């Protein structure tokens, strides 16, 4: 029979870093609230959560890497909002952030979660930050806890 791994949704004892982009803070603060609420529901203590605000999304990979380098966190959650404008700046920022966050996760072997909205409009961002489409911050926090446990299982950690 094959071996199967499944993450669990128990945040007890987990140390979590959240990197939040201040640009579009109206949206990001809602994502952060959703993430914090979800982490609390899953058993993460508030004193085990550290939040760092970056100027925008593009700076997130560096701060995520800095957290990962410390060895003091089990997971880094990146939250932000990149909303399409009239220029191609959106594309460069969204791609750079996605690549950077993925790269930190692979380099350091800890979950670095992508909770950055990339939307065509402010309305879409609002919908994904707690309105019609749920809260991507809460979803990302839930996936973060599950992924930490999955990584530990695959590694054979206790």
């Amino acid at each position: 029979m094959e071996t199967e791994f499944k993450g669990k949704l128990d945040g007890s004892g987990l140390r979590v870093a959240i990197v939040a982009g201040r640009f579009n803070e109206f949206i990001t603060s809602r994502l952060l609230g959703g993430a914090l609420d979800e982490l609390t529901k899953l058993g993460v203590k508030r004193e085990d959560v550290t939040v760092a605000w970056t100027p925008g999304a593009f700076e997130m990979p560096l701060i995520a890497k800095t957290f990962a380098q410390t060895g003091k966190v089990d997971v880094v959650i990146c939250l932000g909002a990149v909303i399409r404008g009239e220029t191609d700046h959106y594309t460069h920022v969204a791609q750079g952030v996605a690549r950077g966050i993925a790269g930190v996760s692979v380099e350091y072997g800890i979950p670095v979660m992508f909770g950055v909205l990339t939307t065509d409009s402010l309305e879409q961002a609002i919908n994904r930050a707690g309105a019609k489409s749920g809260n991507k911050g809460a979803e990302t926090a839930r996936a973060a806890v599950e992924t930490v446990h999955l990584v530990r299982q695959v590694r054979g950690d206790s």
Side-chain angles (χ1 to χ4, degrees):
M1 176 171 234
E2 73 277 353
T3 302
E4 184 177 277
F5 299 103
K6 290 184 180 182
K8 60 182 181 174
L9 294 171
D10 178 7
S12 303
L14 294 186
R15 299 160 303 159
V16 179
I18 299 176
V19 180
R22 196 172 56 245
F23 197 81
N24 292 317
E25 187 175 355
F26 169 72
I27 300 299
T28 307
S29 62
R30 291 173 180 219
L31 298 173
L32 177 60
L36 292 171
D37 288 347
E38 188 67 20
L39 290 170
T40 299
K41 288 177 191 174
L42 296 173
V44 176
K45 294 180 182 174
R46 287 287 175 118
E47 59 265 23
D48 291 332
V49 177
T50 303
V51 178
W53 285 92
T54 61
F58 201 77
E59 297 78 18
M60 287 181 185
L62 174 60
I63 303 307
K65 180 177 181 174
T66 304
F67 274 121
Q69 286 173 326
T70 69
K72 296 179 181 178
V73 297
D74 299 300
V75 62
V76 180
I77 298 170
C78 296
L79 302 173
V82 181
I83 301 170
R84 188 178 305 276
E86 295 177 2
T87 69
D88 62 351
H89 180 75
Y90 162 92
T91 303
H92 299 297
V93 172
Q95 289 177 351
V97 172
R99 279 192 208 109
I101 289 170
V104 173
S105 190
V106 170
E107 182 178 353
Y108 287 91
I110 68 167
V112 181
M113 309 302 291
F114 186 80
V116 179
L117 301 179
T118 55
T119 63
D120 289 325
S121 68
L122 179 60
E123 181 182 3
Q124 288 176 346
I126 291 168
N127 286 339
R128 288 167 178 78
K132 295 178 183 178
S133 302
N135 186 305
K136 183 68 172 175
E139 292 171 19
T140 305
R142 187 175 185 85
V145 170
E146 185 175 357
T147 305
V148 167
H149 290 293
L150 187 57
V151 167
R152 289 177 176 174
Q153 288 173 27
V154 172
R155 283 185 183 154
D157 299 348
S158 54

